[in-house]
Amino acid sequence: MKRTIWLIFIFLTAQWIASFIVVFFLNYPSLSQEERLDVAVLASSPSALGLTLLLSGGLVWLTMLFLRWTDCRGFHSYGIGYTVYFIVILWMLPIIFIVNLLSELLVLEDLRQDTFVGMAYNQWGVLAIVLVGPFTEELVFRMGIQRHLVHSGVRPKIAIFLSALVFGAVHANPAQIPGAVVIGVVLGWLYWKSDTIWLPVAAHAFNNLVGVGIMWCVKDESATLVGLCGSLYNVVFCCFLSIVSGGLGFYYLNNKLSVKSRTTEKEKESAVTRF
């Protein structure tokens, strides 16, 4: 549990340090004259926010590597083919639909909508949201927190749920928290079943890419799923289709990754025997 607290502290502190560094360099030309930092530039500049997330991600990576809180085996795919990755990405589509529908039904305040829209149209923001952010968060919440909880004796299902709760809480945005918890459970399950970080990273990156794509395609920020689908009947039908396809995807991945998990354990045992 101590490592979990430390990882959250590192994750948040890295963002604070990165914010200070970016603000300092953006203010550097006028700093000698005004002798003060204009902190507001961070909130008003999508590039500044994107660079902050990129830099904080790098700080988190380096810290975890220095502390040896990463799992070398987790960076291997253990023979998981492209077909499984493709199925996982397809499986995320119904999950994303259900999560977005849940968020709409809860009608929670979105404190960062304008921020996300600005970053979605900025190259640094897109890079941070789609690539660096997912890898950093999976490194912290799945490889760092979830794996450590399991190794500490916590049951895998409980470890998945706890790491998902923390994952949702650190978003600190009411509109995001419920969806982040659900997505966190999905990503945690993928990590637990596959024993590789790359499968949840791919799913997480695709989830964020869809979010950016929706912002690009739907110009009306007040648009809802009912409005986009055309009617409540279409929403119910899409929801039913999402539940069925999501269940089929879960059944396939559960069987496929269970076989891969057993194969991986045999490979590890044979490697230990050889040494």
Side-chain angles (χ1 to χ4, degrees), residues 181-213:
V181 172
V182 175
I183 293 293
V185 170
V186 171
L187 299 174
W189 180 79
L190 285 172
Y191 178 63
W192 174 55
K193 295 293 290 187
S194 65
D195 202 28
T196 175
I197 197 68
W198 299 119
L199 210 56
V201 165
H204 194 160
F206 180 72
N207 173 75
N208 290 11
L209 178 62
V210 170
V212 172

Side-chain angles (χ1 to χ4, degrees), residues 125-233:
V126 172
L127 180 61
I129 292 172
V130 177
L131 293 179
V132 177
F135 180 75
T136 303
E137 290 174 353
E138 294 311 301
L139 198 65
V140 172
F141 297 100
R142 252 56 70 180
M143 182 178 283
I145 295 176
Q146 180 180 312
R147 181 180 65 92
H148 176 67
L149 289 174
V150 172
H151 287 182
S152 299
V154 178
R155 294 175 59 186
K157 292 181 181 179
I158 297 177
I160 291 171
F161 184 66
L162 289 176
S163 64
L165 282 178
V166 177
F167 178 63
V170 297
H171 281 76
N173 185 13
Q176 284 184 280
I177 291 175
V181 172
V182 175
I183 293 293
V185 170
V186 171
L187 299 174
W189 180 79
L190 285 172
Y191 178 63
W192 174 55
K193 295 293 290 187
S194 65
D195 202 28
T196 175
I197 197 68
W198 299 119
L199 210 56
V201 165
H204 194 160
F206 180 72
N207 173 75
N208 290 11
L209 178 62
V210 170
V212 172
I214 291 174
M215 291 182 187
W216 287 347
C217 298
V218 182
K219 303 300 181 182
D220 185 5
E221 297 179 10
S222 62
T224 62
L225 282 177
V226 176
L228 294 175
C229 292
S231 67
L232 181 59
Y233 172 80

